[in-house]
Each structure stands twice: as structure tokens, then as C-alpha cells.
């Protein structure tokens, strides 16, 4: 009788622990759902609510640390997409530091994807805030991690890291290194992630154009036009089935816009007639019709390929609205605006712009290669390569399985 009574008492004593575990699971899965909704609906409010709820989990628990990283990464990437890279910095840095802490504690053995993806997102943020040195340094570390992992490298992650590094090197004027990185990105691509695959190909085509490899680059640009249209349409078709997955539409739209602008640039570079310049204008106009996309690169292309200066001025004025924070884009817009005014007044410095002295103003901006940025780098002013961000977060969102957590460790007596 005593034994039976002891067993009953033991079972009763275990109930509170079981209840505590059930509570942790409920909170953790609720946070997981909030992160998914915040990502899919591009809603910062969901990430704020998730951050409040995760604080109810025991301090130091795996679920709290794991989910906190995704909350910060997701919220940070959302702020970047909304044009607030400065505000996103602390959140993306926090997510990266969380992942590094997990690795140091041995909790992410061979699970390098969080670290690499979060590092890549933070590096992109450094680049957007003008710190290209830190961006390149962090991306090179991320590339080392993904290549030296004891498990087979995640193909999409390897492709994206190579491609992002190439974009940063291009922004520094390291054209040859950028081309090499983009070629490595495409070589490592398996095509499993369609957005990453097309983005890497677009970036390679851009690098080829900058290095003067025009025929191969133009052929690749045409392929990217077709592939990006398919990816975007497939994503739009799935949007309803994915509970209004606006984030996936935004990513596919970003790549589509980059493919359109890139193809327009090739059309200008290889222009044999006014029809080629008109085609560039139409491609820019199509890019401006896309949702969730920064319109400024397309507006710059539209201004350069405009049929007359009044249309060019209108596009440049619109590009200046909202005080763009990207220093390269802002400088490019201002440079083009000045050039536009000079052409309109008939006072353009034709030698500076590489034009014949007798040329007229209409469509001649298409020939300009203007210096932009404090270093005076020569680049097409409307270049805006697509970075690839949030890969681990996307996998987290797509994984329908609810989070499983271990029971909380017993406190020391």
C-alpha cells in the first residue's frame, strides 16, 4: 500500500512539470506562427508581438534563444525591405550574435546555415549603410564557414553567399573579383531555389557587362528575362495557397526588376538604332509596375532612355522623392539631374560625357557613364544588383512542422 501511495504521489508531483512543458510548447509554437505571419504578410507588428511573447519562455532555454534569432533576423530584413537599413542594423547584428553563441555552446554542431545566412544578411546591411569593408570581410568569413562545414554545403546558401560577395566587390570597383565571384555562384547553383538561381545569373550578367563581355552577358540577360518572368508568375500563382505570402512575391519581384533593368542596360550598350533605346525605356516601365520593388533604379534607366528631356526630368524628379538613403543611388540621381538640365540648356560638357559636340539632347543621356559615389567610380549609374537575403528564415517559414523543444532542465537545489 505504501508503494502504491508513493507512486501516486510521484505522479502527482510530476504533473506541474508536464504542465510547464506544455506551456512552453504552446508559447513557442505561438511565437513560431507570429514569425511566419510577420514574414508572409510583411508585418512588423507580428514581429513585435513575437518578441513580447518569446520573453515568456524560460531565460536560457533553447526555444527562447532559437526563436529570438529568427525574430530579430525577420524583423531586420523587413526593415531593410522597407528602406530602413539603419534601423535594421541592431536587429540583424543581434540575430547573428545569437547564432554565434549557439555555435560556441555546441548547440548547432554542423548546423552552420543559421550562422552563414545571418552573417550574410548582416553583411548586406553593412553594404547598404555604406560600410563595404565590413560587408566584404563578413561575407568572406561566411563563405569560409559554408565551404568548411563538415556536412555537404547547402547549395543555395553557397550560391547566395558567393553572389552577395560579388555584389559588394562590384560596389568597390573590384570588377574582376566580382566577376569571379558571380561565376563561382552560378557554378555552385543547382537550381533548387529558383529565386537564388535567377538572382545569381542576373548578377553574373551585370558583372559581364561591366567587364565588357557583352555578347555572353547579353545572352544571359535574355535568359534571365525569361526565367524571372516564370519565377514571378509561379510565385503569384502560389500566393493565395500560401496564406498571402507577400514576402515571396516581393523577392521574386526584386529579381524580376533587376532582370528587366539589366536587359535594358544591355539594350543601351548595344544600341544600333532608336528602337533599342525605346526597348530599354519599355523594360524600365515594366519594372516600375512591379509591387514591393524600389523604383529608383528603373526610374534612372527610364530617364536615360527617355524619348525627350521632359520625360527624363519627370522620372528623375520622381526618383528624388522620399530622400533616398543609398548614397550611390542618390549621387547617381543628382548627377543625371544636372546632366539633364545642362542638355536642356544646351550647355552640356560634351567631352566629359563622351559625346560628339554636335549631338542633340534627345536620347543622348543613354551614352553617359557618370562618376558616382565619393570615390568617383565609373559605373552605370542605375546598376542595382539584387542581394539575396533571409535564406534560413525562408526555410524556417516553409517548414510546416511545429517546433519541438526539450523539457526545461531541473533547477539545481
Amino acid at each position: 500500500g505504501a508503494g502504491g501511495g508513493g507512486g501516486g504521489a510521484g505522479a502527482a508531483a510530476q504533473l506541474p512539470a508536464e504542465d510547464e512543458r506544455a506551456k512552453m510548447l504552446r508559447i513557442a509554437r505561438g511565437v513560431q506562427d507570429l514569425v511566419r505571419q510577420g514574414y508572409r504578410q510583411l508585418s512588423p507588428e507580428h514581429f513585435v508581438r513575437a518578441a513580447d511573447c518569446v520573453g515568456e519562455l524560460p531565460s536560457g532555454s533553447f526555444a527562447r534563444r532559437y526563436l529570438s534569432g529568427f525574430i530579430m533576423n525577420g524583423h531586420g530584413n523587413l526593415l531593410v525591405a522597407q528602406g530602413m537599413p539603419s534601423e535594421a542594423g541592431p536587429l540583424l547584428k543581434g540575430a547573428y550574435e545569437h547564432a554565434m553563441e549557439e555555435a560556441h555552446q555546441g548547440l548547432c554542431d554542423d548546423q552552420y546555415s543559421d550562422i552563414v545566412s545571418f552573417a550574410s544578411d548582416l553583411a548586406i546591411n553593412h553594404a547598404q549603410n555604406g560600410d563595404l569593408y565590413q560587408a566584404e570581410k563578413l561575407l568572406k568569413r561566411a563563405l569560409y564557414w559554408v565551404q568548411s562545414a563538415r556536412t555537404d554545403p547547402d547549395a543555395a546558401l553557397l550560391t547566395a553567399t558567393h553572389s552577395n560577395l560579388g555584389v559588394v566587390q562590384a560596389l568597390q570597383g573590384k570588377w574582376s573579383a566580382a566577376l569571379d565571384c558571380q561565376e563561382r555562384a552560378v557554378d555552385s547553383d543547382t537550381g533548387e531555389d529558383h529565386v537564388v538561381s535567377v538572382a545569381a545569373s542576373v548578377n553574373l550578367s551585370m558583372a559581364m557587362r561591366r567587364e565588357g563581355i557583352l555578347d555572353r552577358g547579353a545572352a544571359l540577360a535574355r535568359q534571365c528575362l525569361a526565367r524571372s518572368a516564370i519565377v514571378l508568375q509561379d510565385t503569384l500563382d502560389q500566393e493565395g495557397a500560401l496564406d498571402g505570402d507577400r514576402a515571396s512575391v516581393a523577392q521574386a519581384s526584386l529579381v524580376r526588376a533587376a532582370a528587366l533593368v539589366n536587359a535594358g542596360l544591355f539594350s543601351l550598350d548595344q544600341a544600333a538604332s532608336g528602337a533599342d533605346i525605346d526597348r530599354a525605356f519599355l523594360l524600365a516601365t515594366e519594372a516600375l509596375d512591379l509591387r514591393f520593388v524600389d523604383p529608383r533604379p528603373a526610374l534612372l534607366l527610364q530617364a536615360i532612355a527617355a524619348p525627350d528631356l521632359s520625360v527624363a526630368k519627370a522620372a528623375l524628379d520622381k526618383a528624388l522623392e522620399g530622400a533616398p538613403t543609398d548614397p550611390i543611388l542618390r549621387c547617381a540621381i543628382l548627377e543625371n539631374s544636372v546632366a539633364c538640365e545642362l542638355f536642356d540648356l544646351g550647355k552640356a560638357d560634351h567631352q566629359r560625357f563622351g559625346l560628339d559636340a554636335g549631338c542633340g539632347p534627345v536620347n543622348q543621356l543613354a551614352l553617359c557613364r557618370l562618376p558616382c559615389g565619393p570615390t568617383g567610380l565609373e559605373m552605370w549609374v542605375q546598376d542595382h544588383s539584387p542581394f539575396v537575403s533571409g535564406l534560413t528564415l525562408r526555410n524556417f517559414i516553409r517548414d510546416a512542422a511545429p517546433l519541438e523543444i526539450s523539457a526545461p532542465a531541473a533547477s539545481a537545489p
Side-chain angles (χ1 to χ4, degrees), residues 73 75-90 92 119-136 139 164 167-168 171-172 254 294 296 323-330 384-390:
N73 180 261
H75 197 178
N77 276 313
L78 177 56
L79 290 175
V80 168
Q82 293 177 335
M84 296 184 282
S86 297
E87 293 84 348
L92 295 173
S120 189
D121 291 350
L122 178 58
I124 292 169
N125 183 250
H126 284 319
Q128 291 167 330
N129 285 321
D131 193 347
L132 297 176
Y133 171 77
Q134 284 297 332
E136 183 177 16
L139 281 166
N164 288 336
V167 173
V168 168
L171 290 172
Q172 297 176 87
L254 171 65
D294 181 352
R296 291 169 295 176
T325 56
D326 185 320
I328 292 178
L329 269 177
R330 183 168 183 81
H384 207 247
S385 302
F387 284 111
V388 180
S389 63

Side-chain angles (χ1 to χ4, degrees), residues 304 331-340 343 352-353 365 367-373 376-381:
I304 289 174
C331 189
I333 295 167
L334 291 172
E335 286 272 12
N336 276 268
S337 295
V338 171
C340 205
F343 276 117
R352 176 191 174 195
F353 294 119
L365 285 178
L367 302 176
C368 298
R369 287 184 182 272
L370 301 178
C372 62
L377 295 175
E378 288 257 333
M379 62 190 294
W380 275 105
V381 293

Side-chain angles (χ1 to χ4, degrees), residues 283-306:
L283 289 169
T285 302
E286 182 179 344
L288 289 172
D289 290 336
L290 297 171
R291 293 187 292 164
F292 311 121
V293 171
D294 181 352
R296 291 169 295 176
L299 285 167
L300 281 166
L301 175 59
Q302 195 177 59
I304 289 174

Side-chain angles (χ1 to χ4, degrees), residues 208-292:
M208 286 178 170
R209 179 170 46 78
R210 289 162 175 159
E211 285 289 270
I213 309 172
L214 296 183
D215 289 341
R216 284 175 54 206
L220 184 56
R222 290 191 292 271
Q223 292 176 22
C224 291
L225 260 188
R227 292 173 62 198
S228 63
I230 293 171
V231 169
L232 178 57
Q233 189 57 56
D234 288 347
T235 305
L236 290 170
D237 291 342
Q238 297 172 18
E239 183 182 5
L242 294 175
D243 190 26
D245 189 352
R246 301 172 71 199
S248 294
V249 174
Q251 290 164 348
S253 298
L254 171 65
V255 174
R256 175 62 177 166
L260 287 163
V261 170
N262 185 49
L265 293 173
F266 271 106
S267 190
L268 292 180
D269 269 342
Q270 300 178 305
S273 67
D276 295 313
I277 296 176
D278 292 341
R279 179 173 181 268
F281 182 83
L282 292 175
L283 289 169
T285 302
E286 182 179 344
L288 289 172
D289 290 336
L290 297 171
R291 293 187 292 164
F292 311 121

Side-chain angles (χ1 to χ4, degrees), residues 156-227:
L157 199 56
L158 181 60
T159 298
T161 308
H162 270 304
S163 191
N164 288 336
L165 177 57
V167 173
V168 168
Q169 289 173 329
L171 290 172
Q172 297 176 87
K174 301 176 181 178
W175 311 123
S176 179
L179 178 61
D180 181 65
C181 261
Q182 300 302 352
E183 287 177 335
R184 291 176 186 270
V186 171
D187 287 344
S188 65
D189 177 41
T190 61
E192 294 177 10
D193 189 308
H194 299 305
V195 171
V196 173
S197 181
V198 177
S201 293
V202 170
N203 286 338
L204 174 57
S205 177
M206 288 182 170
M208 286 178 170
R209 179 170 46 78
R210 289 162 175 159
E211 285 289 270
I213 309 172
L214 296 183
D215 289 341
R216 284 175 54 206
L220 184 56
R222 290 191 292 271
Q223 292 176 22
C224 291
L225 260 188
R227 292 173 62 198

